[in-house]
Amino acid sequence: MNIGKINRPNVVIEARIIKADGTEVDLGVICDSRKEKDKEPAKDKVNKFLKGGK
Amino acid sequence: MADVVKIVDNGLAITTALLAAISAVSPKWVGWGIGTTEPVVGNTALESAGAEARTVGTQTQQTTTTTNDTYQVVALITCTGSGKAITEVGVFNHLTNNDLFLRATFSAINVSVNDSIQFTIKTVFDNP
């Protein structure tokens, strides 16, 4: 939802463990700021509805 | 623990300094730690940095949504001294100073001595 607000850049972090014996474990995405921001538009929509907006 | 990552206020200053050609130093030093308090934009350092020195990451441009909209740093940190549960990582504009660009917390990643974690950290500028 574009509300004219400029947000900070998003950050996605992936990680891989490399054990001392050379074996590797791919943890994939361990952090994703987009998941937090995805929740915001829904809250904004609800609040706007309760205040009588469209 | 919920994973949370934020570009901190100082990270915005680092970005505009680069754009304004005030600074030519880009945030590429990566450090880890065992702090668990979620990041806030006012953070200036890791909560509990590990004894291991920050490492210099490999910097590239990547594409997430729009061509070259992503700044990526890939860095490897190796555990020394004693095993630990890593719960935070930060990207800095300096090897040792607390010139923080971003900070993240996440579920513990347990490492023993001589184990390493390779972090791939993507800062995405186009978020439709």
Side-chain angles (χ1 to χ4, degrees):
Chain A
M1 180 174 71
N2 182 359
I3 56 174
K5 180 179 177 182
I6 299 175
N7 292 310
R8 296 176 188 237
N10 277 318
V11 181
V12 179
I13 302 177
E14 301 168 6
R16 173 187 296 270
I17 300 173
I18 302 167
K19 305 289 286 180
D21 64 4
T23 58
E24 298 188 9
V25 179
D26 188 356
L27 301 178
V29 174
I30 62 170
C31 239
D32 188 345
S33 65
R34 297 172 302 183
K35 292 191 304 183
E36 301 164 51
K37 290 185 178 177
D38 283 345
K39 298 176 187 175
E40 293 178 22
K43 287 172 62 178
D44 287 343
K45 288 178 183 176
V46 169
N47 288 335
K48 204 171 182 181
F49 173 77
L50 292 174
K51 290 176 183 176
K54 291 184 180 178
Chain B
M1 172 176 28
D3 59 282
V4 179
V5 55
K6 293 195 185 294
I7 303 287
V8 298
D9 289 345
N10 190 61
L12 302 181
I14 290 171
T15 301
T16 57
L18 286 164
L19 290 171
I22 294 170
S23 168
V25 180
S26 54
K28 59 187 177 186
W29 286 271
V30 179
W32 70 13
I34 59 173
T36 57
T37 304
E38 292 182 358
V40 294
V41 296
N43 281 159
T44 58
L46 292 179
E47 180 180 22
S48 183
E52 296 81 0
R54 297 171 192 166
T55 59
V56 177
T58 300
Q59 306 163 272
T60 58
Q61 282 179 302
Q62 301 292 326
T63 296
T64 299
T65 303
T66 300
T67 302
N68 293 327
D69 67 347
T70 299
Y71 170 63
Q72 178 173 289
V73 177
V74 179
L76 186 80
I77 305 176
T78 301
C79 177
T80 62
S82 61
K84 43 187 70 81
I86 301 301
T87 51
E88 63 177 330
V89 67
V91 179
F92 298 83
N93 212 29
H94 194 271
L95 175 63
T96 54
N97 291 351
N98 279 333
D99 200 355
L100 185 66
F101 176 70
L102 69 82
R103 176 174 173 260
T105 55
F106 40 83
S107 298
I109 301 174
N110 295 309
V111 290
S112 303
V113 173
N114 293 325
D115 288 348
S116 303
I117 299 176
Q118 180 186 70
F119 293 100
T120 300
I121 303 168
K122 303 179 182 182
T123 302
V124 184
F125 285 86
D126 187 10
N127 302 285

